[in-house]
Amino acid sequence: MTDVVVKLEGEEAGDSMRLALAMDAFAKWVEETDDLNDASEAIDFMMTTEHTGSCLRRKLTFHDRSHAAKFLVFWRSQRTVTDQVA
């Protein structure tokens, strides 16, 4: 199985508090909405931080492409909601 890496740069990577909250909310959302009877199907992800010299990059690693896609949809919707509230 190949890992899928999602790289967030610039403003997305710099707002670590919003990203951390979104990751927690995503994990809770998955737990509440997905019908995962098999523990091997559970969504696992890991976040690392990379300093490129000129900017900060967050790298999210997922074990499955569909899980990464679900997170990106969730992350973008959360950012839109938060931006509209602010």
Side-chain angles (χ1 to χ4, degrees):
M1 179 184 321
T2 303
D3 287 341
V4 177
V5 177
V6 175
K7 295 179 182 179
L8 303 175
E9 299 186 47
E11 183 182 325
E12 286 186 317
D15 195 350
S16 58
M17 181 58 112
R18 188 182 337 190
L19 180 58
L21 289 172
M23 291 177 70
D24 287 345
F26 176 69
K28 185 175 181 177
W29 175 77
V30 166
E31 185 177 283
E32 292 172 352
T33 60
D34 271 1
D35 214 7
L36 301 175
N37 296 325
D38 184 5
S40 67
E41 294 180 22
I43 295 180
D44 291 325
F45 55 89
M46 173 181 60
M47 181 175 77
T48 56
T49 303
E50 182 178 72
H51 299 275
T52 64
S54 62
C55 68
L56 182 70
R57 178 184 299 151
R58 305 286 181 184
K59 291 172 33 176
L60 306 173
T61 305
F62 295 85
H63 296 297
D64 186 276
R65 182 173 302 279
S66 67
H67 298 165
K70 283 182 182 181
F71 175 77
L72 284 174
V73 168
F74 184 85
W75 170 239
R76 289 176 182 141
S77 69
Q78 291 296 304
R79 290 191 68 220
T80 301
V81 168
T82 306
D83 290 344
Q84 289 174 354
V85 171

